[in-house]
Amino acid sequence: MLSAIPCLRASHLRSRLTFVSKLKPGYRAVSSVPRHLQAQVAVSENLDVHDGGLPPHLEKITSESPPGQGGGPPSFLIPPLNTKHHHVSQEQDAAVRPVLAEVTKNRDEFWRKVPVWKDVSANDFLSYRWSVANTVQGTAKLFKFLQAVVPEQVPLDKSGLQMQSRDEFIKDVLDGVTTATMAIRITPYILSRVNWEDPRHDPIIRQFLPMKSLMVPDHPKLALDSLHETADSPVKGLVHRYHDKALFLPTSVCPTYCMFCTRSYAVGANTDTVTKASLKPTRKRWEEAFAYIERTPQLQDIVVSGGDSYYLQPEQLTMIGERLISMPNIKRFRFASKGLAVAPTRVLDESDGWVNALIDISNKAKKAGKAMAWHTHFNHPNEISWITTQASQKLFEAGVMVRNQTVLLRGVNDDLATMSALIRQLADNNIFPYYVYQCDMVEKIEHLRTPLQTILDLEANMRGSIAGFMMPSFVVDLPGGGGKRLACSFRSYDSASGISTYMAPAVTGRDKDNKVYEHFDPIESSSAAA
């Protein structure tokens, strides 16, 4: 087990920002933080603190707020980047090795291309404990990681004719961090899928690391809670918008934080721009949600999300699943987790109990005549590796239904070739493409949004290129809490003004009857169309 260590005070963290000159092979020696970057990595009382609770194998649900959640004192700090100190134990090695014998032979150990992980064995990399320990979280660790992996010069433009220095790139990222609504947490797996020779234009970096130079002013209609989830919550952490379906949010923590998170009002640690409405995983709050579900007979379908279901302990996952199975009114439920995309090693790590708990709940649901599924979130083909394939195959053989929900993002997957490749690779891995979402109208991500016409064109050109049951629905989740509507079902769309209108007849209550919902294209695209 990783040891919980006291939260470091600001004075201690300042000393950590001066790095040692003797580092293991693959690290660059850095004597101090460059003067022009000191403001971005200036420490505060809560810098680099594990935001939102312990890793799943350490976190315990209690009747009170657990440490590290919201107002409680943080009790866990991920150790500094140093893979030497995070090899798996002999017991864990024995548990992981049977998997390794089957899946790692003659495989590309792609993570070794990242300088700090060039000596990391497959045994370590496939350990979920190693993944948690080496997750890059917080400004100080991000700065240190980028110093170690970014080349001295990187392309500033796509042609590669203009270059920028490492320090310039890092400053751009850290300036973005001070503006963004989401905290920094990125798993080793997803960082190992990045092209670090050209990070500025990498489609994975674009999703998880903010660059201030790419940001543009927000559309005036953008909002932190653009879907009005809080207003649609009869009890805290339970969104009831549709007649027969509700969204249960047991936690507000994720293994990796997306810049474009629709729940940026609640998920992750506080940032310089947002104080989060944290959803603490307390027994009391969970019981209030369960009680509401049980006394609302029209509810038949529950989505368990967050945050991310990956941050539930196996015991918590089992408890939630069994509780839902026991409710006569519930016929279907899904666990929503980006884990398969950002930390698929956990599925293969037999020393970790999360996936076995999920499989067990899936089997129990089937015996009860009910359906359980895992809803995951891939956005680009580069996120898929042989590890993904092996993890997906394990789930497929175990009979777990896995569906994917993609978010359409400018510069990531907004072209036909990329989106088509993603959908086909998901299908080939028995991950059913379920939705492609128009990016929600949340703050600080205007540069990632696309006009409605983009999603309409993608669907029109993809239709017929793959089996119908593997063709996702292209949808808009309507601002103001109108729910999901097919993108092509608009009542009107004026590309010059960028305004489209929709109605949602099945979504009623809270002054929603016969309501006309408006969706707005990014300002930049509307101006260009005009």
Side-chain angles (χ1 to χ4, degrees):
M1 295 285 282
L2 294 173
S3 298
I5 63 176
C7 172
L8 298 185
R9 306 292 291 179
S11 59
H12 298 145
L13 283 168
R14 287 191 187 95
S15 66
R16 286 181 56 192
L17 294 180
T18 298
F19 305 125
V20 297
S21 58
K22 293 183 179 180
L23 298 173
K24 67 175 293 182
Y27 284 77
R28 293 189 181 93
V30 182
S31 59
S32 63
V33 180
R35 183 178 298 275
H36 66 281
L37 296 180
Q38 287 177 359
Q40 283 79 10
V41 294
V43 290
S44 63
E45 293 298 326
N46 62 357
L47 179 66
D48 218 14
V49 169
H50 191 279
D51 55 342
L54 306 182
H57 57 290
L58 298 178
E59 188 176 31
K60 295 291 184 183
I61 190 164
T62 66
S63 58
E64 302 296 328
S65 177
Q69 288 281 352
S75 62
F76 179 76
L77 186 67
I78 291 181
L81 284 168
N82 186 346
T83 57
K84 180 178 180 180
H85 299 298
H86 299 301
H87 294 306
V88 296
S89 66
Q90 290 183 351
E91 293 80 5
Q92 290 170 318
D93 179 74
V96 176
R97 190 165 298 283
V99 178
L100 288 176
E102 298 179 14
V103 304
T104 62
K105 186 176 181 180
N106 300 322
R107 298 289 189 178
D108 174 26
E109 296 186 346
F110 52 82
W111 58 89
R112 292 181 183 266
K113 298 173 185 175
V114 182
V116 294
W117 297 322
K118 73 182 187 69
D119 296 323
V120 174
S121 68
N123 201 48
D124 278 353
F125 193 77
L126 290 182
S127 162
Y128 183 62
R129 183 176 187 271
W130 183 92
S131 179
V132 170
N134 288 276
T135 290
V136 173
Q137 176 179 309
T139 309
K141 286 193 72 174
L142 175 64
F143 174 82
K144 184 176 182 180
F145 180 83
L146 294 177
Q147 279 279 356
V149 303
V150 176
E152 293 182 4
Q153 297 283 320
V154 295
L156 182 61
D157 61 355
K158 289 186 176 181
S159 68
L161 297 177
Q162 297 184 62
M163 303 293 285
Q164 67 177 163
S165 70
R166 179 195 308 138
D167 281 356
E168 290 170 335
F169 173 78
I170 294 175
K171 183 180 186 302
D172 194 9
V173 171
L174 296 179
D175 283 341
V177 170
T178 65
T179 305
T181 61
M182 295 301 294
I184 296 297
R185 178 187 283 153
I186 314 177
T187 60
Y189 174 83
I190 208 67
L191 287 168
S192 72
R193 304 301 295 167
V194 170
N195 174 15
W196 288 106
E197 295 300 315
D198 187 9
R200 184 179 178 86
H201 304 105
D202 186 88
I204 293 176
I205 287 292
R206 194 169 172 87
Q207 299 177 59
F208 304 114
L209 281 188
M211 284 175 269
K212 185 64 179 292
S213 64
L214 298 180
M215 293 181 173
V216 297
D218 280 349
H219 191 290
K221 295 291 186 178
L222 299 193
L224 278 178
D225 185 6
S226 67
L227 304 184
H228 290 197
E229 290 186 337
T230 303
D232 284 335
S233 298
V235 298
K236 187 173 182 179
L238 186 80
V239 183
H240 187 186
R241 176 175 298 136
Y242 303 98
H243 177 73
D244 70 342
K245 184 178 75 175
L247 171 67
F248 175 39
L249 307 173
T251 181
S252 55
V253 186
C254 303
T256 289
Y257 293 134
C258 308
M259 284 175 51
F260 50 91
C261 180
T262 193
R263 220 154 280 133
S264 56
Y265 67 90
V267 169
N270 294 339
T271 68
D272 288 356
T273 58
V274 182
T275 299
K276 303 300 177 87
S278 180
L279 298 169
K280 301 174 183 178
T282 63
R283 173 74 71 176
K284 180 177 182 295
R285 187 176 69 80
W286 287 18
E287 286 298 334
E288 289 174 351
F290 291 142
Y292 178 86
I293 296 169
E294 288 172 328
R295 69 173 181 263
T296 310
Q298 72 264 29
L299 283 177
Q300 295 188 337
D301 192 339
I302 303 296
V303 179
V304 183
S305 184
D308 194 298
S309 293
Y310 238 39
Y311 254 79
L312 297 172
Q313 286 189 86
E315 295 82 3
Q316 295 170 340
L317 197 72
T318 297
M319 186 272 282
I320 292 173
E322 290 181 344
R323 186 71 174 268
L324 293 174
I325 291 170
S326 72
M327 298 180 190
N329 54 317
I330 299 305
K331 308 300 180 186
R332 294 165 297 279
F333 59 98
R334 324 94 177 262
F335 288 101
S337 170
K338 196 175 173 68
L340 190 58
V342 301
T345 56
R346 186 178 199 183
V347 177
L348 299 178
D349 186 351
E350 292 296 332
S351 68
D352 181 88
W354 192 91
V355 74
N356 289 333
L358 185 79
I359 292 169
D360 185 56
I361 287 297
S362 175
N363 292 333
K364 288 179 179 178
K366 290 173 184 174
K367 289 180 180 179
K370 303 186 178 188
M372 188 222 79
W374 180 351
H375 283 198
T376 193
H377 177 190
F378 289 84
N379 285 332
H380 194 276
N382 290 0
E383 298 163 17
I384 300 172
S385 72
W386 63 265
I387 298 176
T388 317
T389 296
Q390 293 294 330
S392 300
Q393 180 64 19
K394 178 176 178 177
L395 293 165
F396 183 63
E397 290 181 11
V400 175
M401 168 62 73
V402 183
R403 304 187 186 103
N404 186 71
Q405 302 181 165
T406 291
V407 177
L408 180 61
L409 300 167
R410 180 184 296 185
V412 175
N413 55 18
D414 59 334
D415 64 279
L416 181 61
T418 301
M419 185 62 75
S420 297
L422 173 63
I423 298 306
R424 187 161 295 278
Q425 287 189 41
L426 291 170
D428 290 348
N429 282 284
N430 292 299
I431 301 171
F432 285 76
Y434 181 33
Y435 282 138
V436 174
Y437 284 94
Q438 182 79 347
C439 186
D440 288 333
M441 293 180 57
V442 293
E443 295 178 11
K444 307 302 181 186
I445 59 160
E446 184 76 353
H447 63 295
L448 292 176
R449 297 203 304 124
T450 61
L452 183 68
Q453 193 61 52
T454 301
I455 198 169
L456 298 175
D457 291 344
L458 283 172
E459 179 179 17
N461 285 288
M462 286 183 62
R463 181 70 62 184
S465 67
I466 194 167
F469 61 88
M470 286 296 185
M471 181 70 178
S473 294
F474 290 73
V475 299
V476 177
D477 211 344
L478 297 177
K484 303 172 189 67
R485 303 298 293 172
L486 290 174
C488 61
S489 68
F490 57 82
R491 295 176 73 247
S492 65
Y493 176 40
D494 180 1
S495 60
S497 67
I499 301 175
S500 52
T501 61
Y502 292 83
M503 292 190 72
V507 178
T508 58
R510 204 171 63 79
D511 299 323
K512 295 183 180 182
D513 297 50
N514 301 314
K515 182 175 179 178
V516 176
Y517 297 87
E518 290 184 322
H519 185 275
F520 299 85
D521 285 353
I523 294 175
E524 186 178 286
S525 61
S526 302
S527 302

